[in-house]
Amino acid sequence: MEDELLAGRAFGEVYRVQGRSDLHDFLVHAVEASGGRVLYVSDPGRAPVYLGVQLDSDERIGMLVYPFRITRNTISNRPDDEVRGQLRYGSEDSWKREQPVGRDIAGVDVTMILGIDLAEGVLLGLNANLWDPLPMGISFYAKEAEITQAKETGWHVWEKVNRGGNKRAEARSPTNLETVVAFTADRLIDYARLERRATALRLDPPLRFSAATAMADRALPDEPQRRHVLEKQFALTSEQILDIIGGRNRLSVAVRGGVAEYHLEQQLTRAPGIASVQRLDVDAMHDFDVTLDDGTFLRVECKNASPKTSAGGAFKVEVQKTRASKGDPASRFYTADGFDVVAACLFSPTGRWEFRFGRTANMARHKDFSDRLAPIQPITDDWTDSLPAIRR
């Protein structure tokens, strides 16, 4: 390791490397294959690699890439259907100290940690926020099937469980999940945009998963992003708006509810067996009107499951309003015929934007108000993974 400038800039630790010129060349090729022109590339004998890239739209991107080779060597006590990358820069003695990931303090350049599978022409992107500092000396793995799917489709996203280990006692992610993206060389600039957005907005793994999945079929446009209407209206950046939301519990809860509704709408719209989905935004009304293929009409209320499970390990969901009307304690509780189905979002207990669907007709009633639903409902085996399955 040397304390030196890279591309005329200080990015923290710069390592001397050997035998990695093929990875260096692959990155240059990937920039060109993904529609960019390399204005500058740093020395192949140094890591990380810095690339100054220009697009046809005249947008310019600075990429600070930590590339690591993916191999297929047989590893004892590991499955045969895995590929492996190793985080190795510098001497083994240096691995005992912290190895921070280099970042542009101005937020102009984007930092990426990439495994490169030269044999298949696939890159594997690790979450730069979760892998900072770099745990030098450890390995990362992916299934051959994931690499194959990325090669066939160009862009493949999945969630991977992470746990604490010798280098780090705690898991990198508070949800014990991380989002991994594997992609072909012609999608490198798309991945750089994803990483830039995820870093700027500090997306957690589930939101990163959603953002990456949304880019599978269509990349972000070449031109720089325009400011969102709320950024203009509030005279704030997106990051400042998110900081405000994150710092106010009630506001964060409300936004989380809106995000759950968004994910539910996306899933219902794509789900087989559903003819139409209409989202409602009316006070004192349920959230969605849904018509199944057989003509069945269902009124659906979206709720977030509790982050805590019951003593038996079952999920549970709160089904009540924020407050009661003055002088009417029953008004806080939903009437049993107010909607047909509760869609419980499991993000809080699992970190995944998944849903379970339960019929209100089968739910427990309030102990004091027989026409109202009990405020806490267990998510039992009677609840289904899909809305159409609930009619069976």
Side-chain angles (χ1 to χ4, degrees):
M1 186 278 293
E2 292 185 354
D3 186 11
E4 62 180 68
L5 298 180
L6 186 71
R9 308 174 184 201
F11 283 106
E13 300 198 20
V14 177
Y15 305 87
R16 290 183 179 273
V17 295
Q18 294 180 332
R20 300 181 187 237
S21 59
D22 51 352
L23 302 183
H24 184 275
D25 293 344
F26 184 89
L27 288 172
V28 172
H29 161 72
V31 168
E32 296 167 346
S34 57
R37 181 163 64 92
V38 177
L39 301 178
Y40 174 88
V41 60
S42 58
D43 191 316
R46 300 288 185 272
V49 176
Y50 183 87
L51 299 121
V53 179
Q54 181 171 338
L55 307 183
D56 290 339
S57 63
D58 205 34
E59 178 188 358
R60 298 190 180 191
I61 303 177
M63 301 181 184
L64 186 69
V65 182
Y66 289 82
F68 298 96
R69 190 185 306 276
I70 287 178
T71 63
R72 287 169 171 75
N73 300 327
T74 301
I75 308 297
S76 60
N77 300 320
R78 296 294 307 186
D80 294 334
D81 63 340
E82 283 185 333
V83 298
R84 176 198 189 198
Q86 290 182 287
L87 303 182
R88 288 177 174 265
Y89 291 144
S91 65
E92 292 191 20
D93 288 341
S94 70
W95 297 350
K96 299 174 183 177
R97 58 180 171 78
E98 197 167 84
Q99 308 278 340
V101 170
R103 297 190 184 277
D104 176 12
I105 192 171
V108 176
D109 300 325
V110 58
T111 298
M112 295 180 281
I113 302 172
L114 300 177
I116 299 180
D117 185 347
L118 292 176
E120 298 296 332
V122 170
L123 300 95
L124 191 151
L126 302 178
N127 187 330
N129 287 334
L130 293 185
W131 288 75
D132 182 12
L134 282 170
M136 290 296 186
I138 76 164
S139 299
F140 58 93
Y141 300 89
K143 295 292 187 181
E144 279 278 13
E146 310 287 5
I147 300 297
T148 299
Q149 187 164 346
K151 184 177 181 180
E152 291 175 351
T153 63
W155 185 273
H156 176 49
V157 186
W158 71 96
E159 285 183 316
K160 186 175 186 294
V161 175
N162 73 60
R163 302 181 179 89
N166 295 331
K167 285 284 184 178
R168 185 193 300 247
E170 300 293 330
R172 282 184 292 274
S173 166
T175 64
N176 290 101
L177 292 169
E178 61 181 291
T179 295
V180 184
V181 184
F183 54 96
T184 47
D186 60 317
R187 299 297 301 270
L188 175 62
I189 289 175
D190 296 334
Y191 182 78
R193 290 199 181 101
L194 170 68
E195 189 65 62
R196 182 169 61 185
R197 173 181 287 183
T199 299
L201 299 180
R202 299 193 298 277
L203 298 184
D204 62 14
L207 291 179
R208 181 185 178 92
F209 180 89
S210 297
T213 301
M215 293 179 63
D217 297 323
R218 180 63 265 164
L220 295 176
D222 284 346
E223 67 271 8
Q225 284 191 300
R226 296 181 176 89
R227 296 184 72 199
H228 191 277
V229 62
L230 290 182
E231 292 180 281
K232 297 178 181 178
Q233 182 178 337
F234 296 156
L236 296 170
T237 65
S238 56
E239 185 172 357
Q240 289 169 325
I241 294 171
L242 289 172
D243 283 339
I244 292 172
I245 294 171
R248 289 161 175 80
N249 183 59
R250 288 177 61 183
L251 188 56
S252 181
V253 170
V255 170
R256 195 176 298 120
V259 172
E261 290 176 20
Y262 174 85
H263 283 286
L264 177 59
E265 183 177 14
Q266 296 299 306
Q267 292 187 26
L268 292 177
T269 301
R270 296 192 298 264
I274 294 179
S276 68
V277 178
Q278 180 181 2
R279 184 171 66 87
L280 309 179
D281 190 14
V282 182
D283 288 342
M285 289 284 288
H286 52 280
D287 297 314
F288 295 93
D289 282 342
V290 181
T291 302
L292 305 184
D293 282 349
D294 65 359
T296 301
F297 176 76
L298 296 171
R299 299 166 297 164
V300 179
E301 179 73 10
C302 181
K303 293 292 184 184
N304 281 304
S306 170
K308 296 181 180 180
T309 57
S310 66
F315 299 126
K316 55 187 178 181
V317 61
E318 182 178 359
V319 184
Q320 63 180 337
K321 303 172 187 177
T322 306
R323 60 180 62 85
S325 301
K326 189 174 181 179
D328 183 9
S331 62
R332 185 175 183 188
F333 309 108
Y334 289 106
T335 58
D337 61 355
F339 38 85
D340 305 303
V341 175
V342 172
C345 178
L346 300 186
F347 171 77
S348 292
T350 69
R352 300 186 183 94
W353 295 105
E354 298 175 344
F355 294 84
R356 297 291 184 272
F357 300 89
R359 277 196 175 276
T360 54
N362 301 330
M363 293 181 184
R365 301 295 180 92
H366 194 283
K367 62 184 180 61
D368 297 324
F369 309 105
S370 60
D371 64 332
R372 308 282 170 150
L373 297 175
I376 303 297
Q377 298 288 338
I379 300 176
T380 66
D381 292 340
D382 292 333
W383 292 54
T384 62
D385 293 340
S386 71
L387 186 57
I390 206 167
R391 62 188 169 187
R392 296 170 188 165

